[in-house]
Amino acid sequence: MDTIMASTVANGLSKAINVDCAATDNPKLADMAKDTVDSGDTNARLTTDWGNKVSNTDHWLAVSNDDKYGPSLLEDGHGREKIHRFDHERIPERVVHARGAGAFGTFKLIESASDVTKAGVLTDTSRTTPVFLRFSTVLGSRGSADTVRDVRGFAVKFYTDEGNWDVVGNDIPVFFVQDSMKFPDVIHAGKPEPDTEIPQAQSAHNNFWDFQYLHSEATHMFMWAMSDRGIPRSYRMLQGFGVNTYTLDNDRGERHFVKFHFTPTLGVHSLVWDEALKICGQNPDFHRADLYEAIGAGVYPTWKFGIQTLKESQQDDFDFDILDATKVWPEEEIPIRYIGELELNRNVDEYFTQTEQVAFCTSHIVPGIGFSDDPLLQGRNFSYFDTQLSRLGMNWQQLPINRPVCPVMNNQRDGQGNHVIHKGKVNYWPNRHSAVPPAKPEEGGYLDYPEKIAGIKQRLKSKKFKEHFNQAQLFWNSQSPPEKTHLISALGFELDHCDDPVVYTRMIDRLCDIDLELAQAVAEKVGAPTPTKANRPNHGKKSASLSITNFSASKPTIATRRVAIIIGDGYDPVAFNGVMAALKAAKAFPFVIGPKRQTVFAEGESKSSGQGVQPDHHFEGMRSTMFDSLFVPGGSHVEVLKKQGRVVHWVREAFGHLKAIGATGEGVELVKTACDVEGMSFSAKGSNDVVESYGVVTAGAAKPESFKESINMIKGAKDFIDAYTYSISQHRNFDREMDGVSALVAY
């Protein structure tokens, strides 16, 4: 054990040294290094904040002797400091997006966009720009669960040579409101109800859906939130959108409108609802742990970065207003141009100083990027700066995670927490020394685009802002059959939790503005009168880019997929070792699950041999919900496992959650015990045939040549490993659900 531990420590130290050396290639990591201390340094000694070394940190200074403990003394400066610091560790959490996780990475431009912008980060292909990306839920508090149904924040801070550029986006391209004036209302409606502070991190309550009906511009957004995108499988498998309309201007003085997009190379994937509910209790940190695990293993998540652009002259060419944040720009009309790649490749060193204290502002832009008249964006520009003041104080931009990597010089002074020391006699402009003058445009000074504006000062939106249902219909029409099924179920779940008949009856009327069959299906679930007439005809249009099925990985992959290998004493070592090697070679994350965490031995392996396998978890310590797939090798262990209800439930639950399941030899019998229902087929005992049935891949005989590290993931593969890994790569087998097969088992 000591040898193993020493090796682990040595490996960890080696990794730390390699990371520190690599950090010098990243200017942001190098910038933060001067504020970083190693709390694992065994040569360091405990000190107070004022630098005194501490000889005792366990007992308060008191008047006492061997027989009696007397009064504690106020003069104990170390004791007072330790308690005071503890009492003041917390800062106000974010009103929204409180629950988050983040990581460092880099942005690399592949194609220059100099035709539309002069921004160096979008034109200089020789650059590698440091980034910090924070993911989050919206409604829940900092201590809420990761897998609730909610919008996910996708906020990127680019540390560019010209200053910080923040894209403060979401995993959904639209929002609930058009005008920032309504932001407090939609959030108040979504947060726990004010009298009971219930429910936490959920929209399934009266107030939320009351607002959705009464504020019809939210219709498009709630359709997205109720879709599978509301319960992502992983932060690494969701899209990012800038949401708002920005502008780009180039060296020729031309301006374009722009939308920003981030598309994951792993594909866009979601959980199923029963799975998401269970994970909330079984592992509330599921998404943040998943992010740390993948980056820590060196399988770095990446996103393609793209832009949609329009010339100023095209602003009025569409049946929607391009400044309306409740509308998408359909890709069929305005294609995405992918020009870069974002990679996350380093976990945070400390959550509070980095993930919690990072602060984003939509107003943080660089030359070549500007603001449109998007009314939601205009309000966000004020709100984000304002909220940082209450959370972090006036000098929040001096915090290590927030400060730029380029030089910062101005006449802003003082305030609580200021720690930049300014030398010199003047702190104003103009001054007699001509010190720190404003930069000229040719020196990189930001130049606002000279937009021509004419209008009347009044509280009024343009006519196109008043249309609220066309794109909600477009979204519904564009969903695949499984996605439509899930959306109906989601609305049914949410409105089932509304106990005011006024709320759920009205919402059925709202759904009649989208699609009559949708409204009828939900009405039946929630107990509202079944409507017989649509409020408006469905235009029937579709957009492929609105369905998750349009965003699979470019080629089948099982990288970072978590696979549980179920074994007990007497497992088949050939199948076990073969599948384990193949999964690792494909960069999947295999985990051994057994009846205990003590050593488990293979068929014919002596317990005195000193060999065997130590499981990562036991059946009661972990659940199938934590994994993307299960594999059961053959062997005599199956006879014991078949008689254990928890093991059978493991397989049955994975089957119900539409996951890929693999089994060889006697392992096929365990799978059959769990899910041998009408419609399922399995490989016969001793058969060399590989049978794939609704994502369940079985082989009655396990031959050594059936297991290989070289994988060819293709549909209809005849080799077990190829067929099984292909099923994993498909994420979920929705045919199992749509054909009613999964509904035949209880899970």
Side-chain angles (χ1 to χ4, degrees):
M1 179 62 71
D2 291 340
T3 302
I4 295 174
M5 184 173 292
S7 176
T8 302
V9 171
N11 289 338
L13 180 59
S14 175
K15 290 179 181 178
I17 292 172
N18 289 337
V19 167
D20 288 340
C21 292
T24 58
D25 297 330
N26 184 314
K28 185 56 193 175
L29 298 181
D31 168 65
M32 292 188 297
K34 57 181 176 287
D35 293 294
T36 303
V37 297
D38 183 3
S39 59
D41 185 356
T42 57
N43 294 316
R45 293 296 178 265
L46 198 68
T47 76
T48 62
D49 281 348
W50 71 88
N52 283 4
K53 290 183 178 178
V54 174
S55 59
N56 188 311
T57 191
D58 300 317
H59 305 286
W60 197 286
L61 185 65
V63 178
S64 59
N65 55 45
D66 292 340
D67 299 319
K68 183 178 180 180
Y69 190 86
S72 299
L73 299 179
L74 194 60
E75 71 179 70
D76 187 348
H78 170 51
R80 295 199 318 274
E81 179 188 76
K82 187 175 181 180
I83 296 299
H84 287 169
R85 286 299 303 268
F86 174 75
D87 290 343
H88 294 273
E89 284 181 356
R90 298 283 78 82
I91 63 173
E93 70 173 37
R94 292 166 167 87
V95 177
V96 287
H97 298 277
R99 172 76 177 181
F104 294 96
T106 53
F107 172 74
K108 180 67 177 174
L109 194 67
I110 298 170
E111 173 195 326
S112 174
S114 59
D115 55 316
V116 292
T117 182
K118 61 188 177 187
V121 66
L122 299 180
T123 58
D124 185 354
T125 57
S126 68
R127 291 190 187 187
T128 298
T129 301
V131 301
F132 186 84
L133 172 51
R134 185 179 187 270
F135 305 94
S136 56
T137 54
V138 174
L139 290 177
S141 66
R142 183 177 164 186
S144 57
D146 279 348
T147 61
V148 297
R149 180 176 296 281
D150 201 353
V151 183
R152 297 308 189 281
F154 191 101
V156 189
K157 187 179 290 291
F158 295 80
Y159 302 97
T160 83
D161 294 351
E162 293 78 29
N164 290 352
W165 171 37
D166 293 350
V167 177
V168 196
N170 287 331
D171 72 327
I172 291 175
V174 293
F175 199 61
F176 292 102
V177 296
Q178 298 167 332
D179 193 313
S180 59
M181 184 77 92
K182 294 301 297 179
F183 187 76
D185 296 301
V186 67
I187 297 303
H188 283 169
K191 286 282 191 176
E193 298 191 356
D195 54 344
T196 60
E197 186 66 8
I198 296 173
Q200 174 58 243
Q202 295 182 59
S203 54
H205 59 98
N206 290 322
N207 284 4
F208 178 82
W209 289 105
D210 183 40
F211 183 90
Q212 300 305 301
Y213 173 78
L214 293 170
H215 204 65
S216 59
E217 68 193 50
T219 304
H220 187 199
M221 176 63 170
F222 79 63
M223 291 292 286
W224 282 80
M226 293 301 107
S227 76
D228 286 346
R229 294 171 186 267
I231 46 173
R233 157 62 180 86
S234 168
Y235 288 142
R236 301 172 296 110
M237 300 174 190
L238 51 76
Q239 287 173 281
F241 302 94
V243 179
N244 295 115
T245 300
Y246 284 83
T247 63
L248 300 174
D249 58 278
N250 59 26
D251 286 328
R252 297 185 296 277
E254 300 166 334
R255 188 171 77 146
H256 289 73
F257 295 101
V258 64
K259 291 270 194 180
F260 299 116
H261 296 257
F262 300 84
T263 301
T265 56
L266 285 174
V268 180
H269 302 291
S270 297
L271 301 169
V272 298
W273 182 231
D274 182 76
E275 180 185 21
L277 285 172
K278 291 174 177 176
I279 294 174
C280 280
Q282 293 165 357
N283 183 3
D285 305 304
F286 181 78
H287 281 151
R288 59 172 63 179
D290 170 88
L291 179 67
Y292 299 155
E293 178 181 65
I295 295 175
V299 189
Y300 302 137
T302 59
W303 286 260
K304 297 188 298 179
F305 172 77
I307 55 176
Q308 285 177 295
T309 58
L310 288 171
K311 297 178 181 178
E312 278 191 293
S313 60
Q314 296 176 288
Q315 180 172 357
D316 301 319
D317 289 356
F318 307 93
D319 61 0
F320 59 91
D321 197 306
I322 67 166
L323 305 182
D324 183 352
T326 69
K327 307 293 195 300
V328 296
W329 294 3
E331 292 181 32
E332 289 79 6
E333 299 180 64
I334 310 166
I336 298 177
R337 173 184 171 189
Y338 287 104
I339 61 172
E341 183 177 79
L342 184 149
E343 176 186 86
L344 296 182
N345 48 35
R346 180 181 169 112
N347 285 319
V348 296
D349 293 312
E350 185 179 31
Y351 183 90
F352 178 79
T353 54
Q354 295 174 332
T355 306
E356 184 64 18
Q357 288 196 144
V358 69
F360 299 90
C361 283
T362 56
S363 58
H364 284 178
I365 54 176
V366 292
I369 302 173
F371 309 119
S372 75
D373 296 328
D374 176 341
L376 183 63
L377 174 60
Q378 294 291 325
R380 292 181 80 197
N381 285 345
F382 170 83
S383 177
Y384 279 76
F385 194 100
D386 185 59
T387 196
Q388 311 308 346
L389 301 182
S390 63
R391 291 186 59 244
L392 302 170
M394 178 55 74
N395 288 297
W396 58 272
Q397 293 185 91
Q398 293 182 20
L399 294 172
I401 188 64
N402 294 322
R403 67 187 177 216
V405 296
C406 64
V408 174
M409 179 64 74
N410 54 50
N411 293 316
Q412 273 81 274
R413 292 292 191 272
D414 307 340
Q416 187 173 20
N418 181 61
H419 61 266
V420 174
I421 300 169
H422 297 84
K423 295 170 60 178
K425 288 184 173 295
V426 294
N427 56 0
Y428 54 90
W429 177 263
N431 61 73
R432 63 189 181 279
H433 303 294
S434 296
V436 194
K440 299 175 182 178
E442 57 268 26
E443 295 175 316
Y446 189 91
L447 190 64
D448 292 286
Y449 182 80
E451 179 185 7
K452 295 179 181 179
I453 300 175
I456 301 172
K457 183 170 67 174
Q458 55 185 324
R459 299 182 188 272
L460 181 70
K461 298 288 190 306
S462 63
K463 293 179 181 179
K464 290 181 181 178
F465 273 84
K466 298 177 183 178
E467 196 293 305
H468 300 152
F469 304 117
N470 283 346
Q471 289 206 357
Q473 290 184 343
L474 180 70
F475 182 79
W476 169 253
N477 297 342
S478 304
Q479 301 302 287
S480 64
E483 289 174 293
K484 285 186 174 181
T485 298
H486 301 162
L487 210 158
I488 290 170
S489 296
L491 286 165
F493 178 93
E494 296 272 318
L495 296 178
D496 181 72
H497 285 71
C498 297
D499 54 15
D500 188 335
V502 172
V503 173
Y504 59 77
T505 301
R506 278 177 166 179
M507 277 307 305
I508 299 305
D509 182 62
R510 173 64 67 240
L511 296 179
C512 286
D513 289 313
I514 303 171
D515 185 82
L516 180 60
E517 291 185 6
L518 166 65
Q520 291 172 334
V522 177
E524 181 180 0
K525 287 179 175 291
V526 304
T530 301
T532 58
K533 184 180 179 181
N535 291 344
R536 66 191 68 244
N538 186 321
H539 54 61
K541 296 177 183 177
K542 297 182 179 181
S543 174
S545 63
L546 303 184
S547 170
I548 283 179
T549 59
N550 195 51
F551 295 97
S552 300
S554 58
K555 61 180 180 179
T557 178
I558 62 171
T560 72
R561 292 292 183 170
R562 308 179 96 243
V563 181
I565 303 178
I566 295 177
I567 63 171
D569 287 320
Y571 67 89
D572 173 12
V574 173
F576 173 84
N577 291 325
V579 169
M580 177 71 76
L583 292 174
K584 288 182 176 180
K587 297 185 178 180
F589 297 157
F591 294 84
V592 179
I593 313 295
K596 56 188 178 181
R597 284 182 71 175
Q598 291 182 346
T599 303
V600 174
F601 295 91
E603 192 85 69
E605 193 173 50
S606 170
K607 293 185 177 181
S608 62
S609 66
Q611 298 177 339
V613 173
Q614 183 173 0
D616 297 288
H617 301 282
H618 60 80
F619 297 125
E620 294 294 342
M622 193 59 62
R623 292 290 188 268
S624 76
T625 50
M626 301 295 112
F627 303 95
D628 294 291
S629 176
L630 308 184
F631 171 68
V632 185
S636 61
H637 69 141
V638 169
E639 285 303 311
V640 177
L641 296 180
K642 282 167 52 178
K643 299 174 183 177
Q644 297 183 20
R646 177 62 70 197
V647 179
V648 174
H649 179 262
W650 257 77
V651 181
R652 189 169 288 158
E653 185 176 53
F655 183 82
H657 292 161
L658 316 179
K659 297 175 181 179
I661 298 173
T664 57
E666 294 84 354
V668 178
E669 295 304 310
L670 174 57
V671 176
K672 289 179 68 176
T673 299
C675 50
D676 188 6
V677 295
E678 183 179 349
M680 289 298 299
S681 301
F682 302 91
S683 180
K685 184 176 182 179
S687 171
N688 292 323
D689 292 337
V690 174
V691 175
E692 186 278 329
S693 179
Y694 290 106
V696 177
V697 182
T698 53
K703 299 178 294 183
E705 56 267 27
S706 299
F707 307 103
K708 56 183 183 178
E709 292 188 23
S710 176
I711 300 175
N712 183 24
M713 287 177 258
I714 56 173
K715 187 175 183 179
K718 301 301 182 184
D719 178 90
F720 175 79
I721 285 292
D722 291 344
Y724 175 48
T725 54
Y726 177 79
S727 290
I728 300 174
S729 76
Q730 298 307 292
H731 179 63
R732 297 287 190 269
N733 189 285
F734 293 112
D735 288 341
R736 193 187 304 169
E737 175 186 37
M738 299 307 293
D739 290 350
V741 179
S742 62
L744 298 177
V745 300
Y747 56 91

